[in-house]
Amino acid sequence: MDKIYQVLERVRKEEPLIHHITNWVTIYDCANIVKVFAGSPVMAHAPEEAADMASIADALVINIGTLNNITVEAMKSAMAAANKKGIPVILDAVGVGATKYRNEKIKELLEYKIAVLKGNASEIASTAGISVTTKGVDSGNVSGDMVSIARELARDKECVVVVTGKEDICTDGESVYIVKNGTPMLSQIVGAGCMAGSVIATFCAVEKDYLFAAIAGLVCFEIAAENADKTSEGPGTFKNKLFDKISTLSDISINKMKKLEKIR
Amino acid sequence: MDKIYQVLERVRKEEPLIHHITNWVTIYDCANIVKVFAGSPVMAHAPEEAADMASIADALVINIGTLNNITVEAMKSAMAAANKKGIPVILDAVGVGATKYRNEKIKELLEYKIAVLKGNASEIASTAGISVTTKGVDSGNVSGDMVSIARELARDKECVVVVTGKEDICTDGESVYIVKNGTPMLSQIVGAGCMAGSVIATFCAVEKDYLFAAIAGLVCFEIAAENADKTSEGPGTFKNKLFDKISTLSDISINKMKKLEKIR
Amino acid sequence: MDKIYQVLERVRKEEPLIHHITNWVTIYDCANIVKVFAGSPVMAHAPEEAADMASIADALVINIGTLNNITVEAMKSAMAAANKKGIPVILDAVGVGATKYRNEKIKELLEYKIAVLKGNASEIASTAGISVTTKGVDSGNVSGDMVSIARELARDKECVVVVTGKEDICTDGESVYIVKNGTPMLSQIVGAGCMAGSVIATFCAVEKDYLFAAIAGLVCFEIAAENADKTSEGPGTFKNKLFDKISTLSDISINKMKKLEKIR
């Protein structure tokens, strides 16, 4: 059995509970992508209950897409509870670099223990303290070698770093893998990046090797996207078929379609 | 003409205004399901206007899926206005049992007059004060007889209680009906439960027998789901076809497909 | 090349960044419609960063669908920044007339410089101070001549006014155009009005003649809707095909299908 498929099988069997404190734009998609992978999503962002909810969860997603002072307070409370319980925290650095406020808050959130830090090229570069031209939540131009930037950041923060894009960089600070699955359609809809973060969390909930869990989640998500693209008429139908194709991912299709390269 | 279809006809003719104070995850779906049933949804959760909006509405949905202190304040204000006007309030006990905060808030909200209290098995059991293993917003295991639990709670709170699941229990504390329509697909997408609550509110807005209104709403919603399932390729396309199939619900299909049993 | 298509071409080439402070119901749809037009949407509503985000944007959408005191504070801060930078502000008067709170807040927001003020008939009439029967966020009955009301309001506020409906009125206070594209399906889904606002903003970001930009945006959006309607089975599939059909809008189809009348 394919090693990536084995993790997917575990997700389907264990149905992990994935707590999110996320943005208001893609909150439904984040919940639904967990659900179609057979996980159990929960979204609770009141500071009064965020820690309690994290305490019964198997992984925690922190996505700062539409952060504010109250949700940041809830995030910190949930992260402390997650760290205490020992469940993985996935931090999605949405829009870092675009405003001073986000740049400050990401620093505060990085003081908690993170399993996987995720972002597009300009978000990860900004998080690493490199000055970039950003464009809201879409990636701007980054000068410099993203693999080195990601690797150093992973070593500095002692976590896995994932840089999403046409090809995704996944590193624990030593090894570096490139996930080459996916389709340009993913960049033509809102929510692909956020959903990828929730998928990574779902896989990290059942697999303690977080680098491999992140890779496995991305490969599955992006193969489903390739399958969806084949019968889509555009970005609208594509997104719905993406949900369809996740529930039918099989050992054979993953084994045949996965495009993964270890470059270090 | 089928009695359930008669209520649907009234919804389509009267186009009731359904005010929601609901969660951020399924807020679009709740609005859209009301719309495709030909109702008019409105979502307004600022404490400054919640009562005003409830005062022009025909029913009020209170869904605590992502509650916080400010929305709870707005909920109370809207519920007081709804009670004063005499319009039905549908309370969806999302996630009760998962955190202490939800357990406390549901008690405070139950001090207002409720037409229909709705939840899955573990949410309704938790609301009734029975200790259950919950799993976020998905149902956990409940030991005990759900029919008796629902019936007693309905008598205690003087409202209709609906327990959603593979089969739905509907009771006013005396009679008990089981709705057996639906498809497993409904549990494979996020939002089915929340949408069911909005549908029940839409039907209660035009039919003062709230037990029958709840049953009629559930039967229509779940028959549409069965029809959607027949031509779906997975959870993504299913959800869109669900919206399609509501607008084409007919007297004949409801009469032929409804699966309703009075067990008491 | 069709003049309307020329603006669309510029949107596709320049990929403008459209900052939104909008409602929680249709926030995804507003983002996604900008994306499928090849723009870059961003949503940021914390008062701490709203001005910063507006400062890097090419247009700003203010939609009061689910306003509260904190988002209104962020709106004012973003509008001040947008006015300072000279980028167009599109104000969508969702639900004005339904509550006293909205009636007050729209007045405060209208003290900033607006490029396009948008609403359905009862929202625009209410904003103009005319007493109307409203029905939440759906249009109620307006007695009076909407063309005159819109024209006077445009002169008074020195902005373009767009009244959406079966036919859309677009005026700068002098000229008046009627956009006659579209399909009844648009009124059978939640979000059509909000998406139209985001499209207008996207077109105003690249075309300084805001009256023509608004018209061009509406024509493109509604031709895509007509194309989507042709192969839809109902409101659910329609909405997804709407996203599909935007990415394939061509010079030929716009030229052939546009229905635009100058009545003044």
Side-chain angles (χ1 to χ4, degrees):
Chain A
M1 200 191 286
D2 188 273
K3 270 186 71 183
I4 288 173
Y5 183 72
Q6 281 175 27
V7 189
L8 174 58
E9 272 278 282
R10 246 150 54 217
V11 167
R12 288 176 175 167
K13 201 174 298 169
E14 299 178 23
E15 303 179 0
L17 180 62
I18 314 301
H19 182 203
H20 291 69
I21 301 180
T22 186
N23 68 75
W24 301 168
V25 187
T26 61
I27 186 169
Y28 180 85
D29 290 333
C30 290
N32 207 43
I33 200 84
V34 171
K35 190 83 168 179
V36 293
F37 265 108
S40 182
V42 73
M43 276 60 188
H45 47 255
E48 290 80 8
E49 67 168 353
D52 273 9
M53 201 61 98
S55 300
I56 60 165
D58 301 303
L60 173 66
V61 176
I62 299 294
N63 174 315
I64 63 165
T66 58
L67 79 178
N68 63 46
N69 282 342
I70 298 168
T71 47
V72 169
E73 187 193 334
M75 286 171 182
K76 290 177 180 176
S77 160
M79 289 168 99
N83 284 176
K84 198 177 158 199
K85 195 188 171 188
I87 59 167
V89 176
I90 283 68
L91 177 58
D92 198 338
V94 183
V96 170
T99 68
K100 211 167 66 171
Y101 182 62
R102 286 180 197 231
N103 298 351
E104 281 168 18
K105 292 302 159 192
I106 195 80
K107 271 187 205 150
E108 294 173 24
L109 296 172
L110 278 166
E111 299 197 355
Y112 294 85
K113 186 158 181 46
I114 307 296
V116 181
L117 172 64
K118 192 205 135 277
N120 60 33
S122 59
E123 288 160 355
I124 292 296
S126 293
T127 303
I130 292 160
S131 165
V132 289
T133 349
T134 63
K135 199 179 170 182
V137 294
D138 286 329
S139 191
N141 293 319
V142 182
S143 60
D145 170 11
M146 272 316 299
V147 169
S148 304
I149 292 169
R151 218 163 151 251
E152 256 175 70
L153 189 59
R155 263 180 292 188
D156 184 30
K157 303 298 175 194
E158 297 182 345
C159 66
V160 170
V161 168
V162 172
V163 187
T164 54
K166 206 181 149 230
E167 300 188 338
D168 312 309
I169 304 164
C170 302
T171 178
D172 58 2
E174 294 301 324
S175 312
V176 181
Y177 290 83
I178 308 291
V179 176
K180 298 184 170 179
N181 287 103
T183 144
M185 264 294 178
L186 283 170
S187 63
Q188 287 170 43
I189 57 165
V190 170
C194 297
M195 286 192 280
S198 295
V199 172
I200 291 171
T202 306
F203 279 65
C204 285
V206 303
E207 168 57 55
K208 284 206 175 309
D209 177 347
Y210 298 142
L211 177 59
F212 186 63
I215 291 166
L218 286 172
V219 166
C220 289
F221 177 64
E222 294 176 11
I223 287 177
E226 291 174 28
N227 287 335
D229 193 17
K230 279 171 201 155
T231 54
S232 294
E233 297 156 52
T237 47
F238 166 72
K239 197 176 137 205
N240 286 292
K241 284 173 188 272
L242 175 57
F243 292 124
D244 287 354
K245 297 301 182 185
I246 284 164
S247 43
T248 54
L249 280 169
S250 68
D251 189 8
I252 295 168
S253 65
I254 290 170
N255 194 274
K256 205 176 82 184
M257 294 176 71
K258 71 178 169 191
K259 289 189 202 141
L260 181 62
E261 193 184 341
K262 187 175 194 306
I263 62 168
R264 232 197 130 102
Chain B
M1 199 191 286
D2 189 274
K3 271 185 72 182
I4 287 173
Y5 183 72
Q6 281 174 27
V7 189
L8 174 58
E9 272 280 280
R10 250 156 45 223
V11 167
R12 287 175 176 168
K13 201 173 299 169
E14 299 177 23
E15 303 180 359
L17 181 62
I18 314 301
H19 181 203
H20 290 69
I21 301 179
T22 188
N23 68 74
W24 302 168
V25 187
T26 62
I27 187 168
Y28 180 86
D29 290 333
C30 289
N32 207 43
I33 200 85
V34 171
K35 191 83 168 180
V36 293
F37 265 108
S40 182
V42 72
M43 275 62 187
H45 47 255
E48 291 80 8
E49 66 168 356
D52 274 9
M53 202 60 99
S55 300
I56 60 166
D58 301 304
L60 172 65
V61 176
I62 299 294
N63 174 314
I64 63 164
T66 59
L67 79 179
N68 64 47
N69 283 341
I70 298 169
T71 48
V72 169
E73 188 193 333
M75 286 171 182
K76 290 177 180 176
S77 160
M79 290 168 99
N83 283 175
K84 196 177 157 200
K85 195 188 171 190
I87 59 166
V89 177
I90 283 67
L91 177 57
D92 199 338
V94 183
V96 170
T99 69
K100 210 166 68 171
Y101 182 62
R102 286 180 197 230
N103 297 351
E104 281 167 17
K105 292 303 158 191
I106 194 80
K107 271 186 205 151
E108 294 172 23
L109 297 172
L110 278 166
E111 298 197 354
Y112 295 85
K113 186 159 182 43
I114 306 296
V116 181
L117 172 64
K118 192 205 135 278
N120 60 34
S122 58
E123 288 159 355
I124 292 296
S126 294
T127 303
I130 293 161
S131 164
V132 290
T133 349
T134 63
K135 197 177 170 183
V137 294
D138 286 330
S139 190
N141 293 320
V142 182
S143 59
D145 170 12
M146 271 316 298
V147 170
S148 304
I149 291 169
R151 217 161 152 251
E152 257 176 68
L153 189 60
R155 263 181 292 189
D156 183 31
K157 301 299 175 193
E158 298 181 344
C159 67
V160 169
V161 168
V162 172
V163 187
T164 53
K166 205 178 150 233
E167 299 187 338
D168 313 308
I169 304 165
C170 302
T171 177
D172 58 2
E174 294 301 324
S175 312
V176 181
Y177 289 82
I178 308 292
V179 176
K180 298 184 170 180
N181 287 103
T183 145
M185 264 295 178
L186 284 170
S187 63
Q188 287 170 43
I189 58 165
V190 170
C194 297
M195 285 192 280
S198 295
V199 172
I200 290 171
T202 306
F203 279 64
C204 286
V206 304
E207 167 58 55
K208 284 206 175 308
D209 177 348
Y210 298 142
L211 176 58
F212 185 63
I215 291 167
L218 286 173
V219 166
C220 289
F221 178 64
E222 293 176 11
I223 287 177
E226 291 175 25
N227 288 334
D229 192 16
K230 280 171 200 155
T231 54
S232 294
E233 298 156 52
T237 47
F238 166 72
K239 196 174 138 205
N240 286 292
K241 283 174 188 271
L242 174 57
F243 292 124
D244 287 352
K245 297 302 182 186
I246 284 164
S247 44
T248 55
L249 279 169
S250 68
D251 190 8
I252 295 167
S253 65
I254 291 170
N255 193 274
K256 206 176 80 184
M257 294 175 71
K258 69 178 171 192
K259 290 189 202 140
L260 181 62
E261 193 184 340
K262 187 176 194 306
I263 62 167
R264 229 194 132 103
Chain C
M1 200 191 285
D2 188 274
K3 271 186 72 183
I4 287 173
Y5 184 73
Q6 281 175 28
V7 190
L8 174 58
E9 272 279 281
R10 250 155 45 222
V11 167
R12 287 175 176 168
K13 201 174 298 170
E14 299 178 24
E15 303 179 359
L17 180 61
I18 314 300
H19 181 202
H20 290 69
I21 302 180
T22 188
N23 68 74
W24 301 168
V25 187
T26 61
I27 187 168
Y28 180 85
D29 290 333
C30 289
N32 207 43
I33 200 85
V34 171
K35 191 82 167 180
V36 292
F37 265 107
S40 181
V42 73
M43 274 64 186
H45 47 256
E48 289 80 9
E49 68 168 353
D52 273 10
M53 202 61 98
S55 300
I56 61 166
D58 301 304
L60 173 65
V61 175
I62 299 294
N63 174 315
I64 63 165
T66 58
L67 79 179
N68 64 46
N69 283 342
I70 298 169
T71 47
V72 169
E73 189 193 333
M75 287 172 182
K76 290 177 180 175
S77 161
M79 289 169 99
N83 283 176
K84 197 177 158 199
K85 195 188 171 189
I87 59 167
V89 176
I90 283 68
L91 177 57
D92 199 338
V94 184
V96 171
T99 69
K100 210 166 67 171
Y101 182 62
R102 286 182 196 229
N103 297 351
E104 281 168 17
K105 292 303 159 192
I106 194 80
K107 270 187 206 149
E108 293 173 25
L109 296 172
L110 278 166
E111 297 197 356
Y112 294 85
K113 187 158 181 44
I114 307 296
V116 182
L117 172 64
K118 192 204 135 279
N120 60 34
S122 59
E123 288 159 355
I124 292 297
S126 294
T127 303
I130 293 161
S131 165
V132 291
T133 351
T134 62
K135 198 177 170 182
V137 294
D138 286 330
S139 190
N141 292 319
V142 182
S143 58
D145 170 11
M146 271 316 298
V147 170
S148 303
I149 291 167
R151 219 163 151 250
E152 257 175 68
L153 188 60
R155 265 182 290 190
D156 183 31
K157 302 299 176 194
E158 298 182 345
C159 67
V160 170
V161 169
V162 172
V163 188
T164 53
K166 204 179 150 233
E167 299 187 340
D168 313 308
I169 304 165
C170 302
T171 177
D172 58 1
E174 294 301 323
S175 311
V176 181
Y177 290 83
I178 308 291
V179 176
K180 299 185 170 180
N181 287 103
T183 145
M185 264 294 178
L186 284 170
S187 64
Q188 287 169 42
I189 58 164
V190 170
C194 297
M195 286 192 279
S198 295
V199 172
I200 290 172
T202 307
F203 279 65
C204 286
V206 304
E207 168 58 53
K208 284 205 175 311
D209 178 348
Y210 298 143
L211 177 58
F212 185 64
I215 291 166
L218 286 172
V219 166
C220 290
F221 178 64
E222 293 175 12
I223 287 177
E226 291 175 26
N227 288 334
D229 193 17
K230 280 171 200 154
T231 54
S232 295
E233 298 156 52
T237 48
F238 166 72
K239 197 176 138 205
N240 286 291
K241 283 174 188 271
L242 175 56
F243 292 124
D244 286 354
K245 297 302 181 185
I246 283 164
S247 44
T248 55
L249 280 169
S250 69
D251 190 8
I252 295 167
S253 64
I254 290 170
N255 194 274
K256 205 176 82 183
M257 293 176 71
K258 71 178 171 192
K259 291 190 202 141
L260 182 63
E261 193 184 340
K262 187 175 193 305
I263 63 167
R264 232 195 129 103

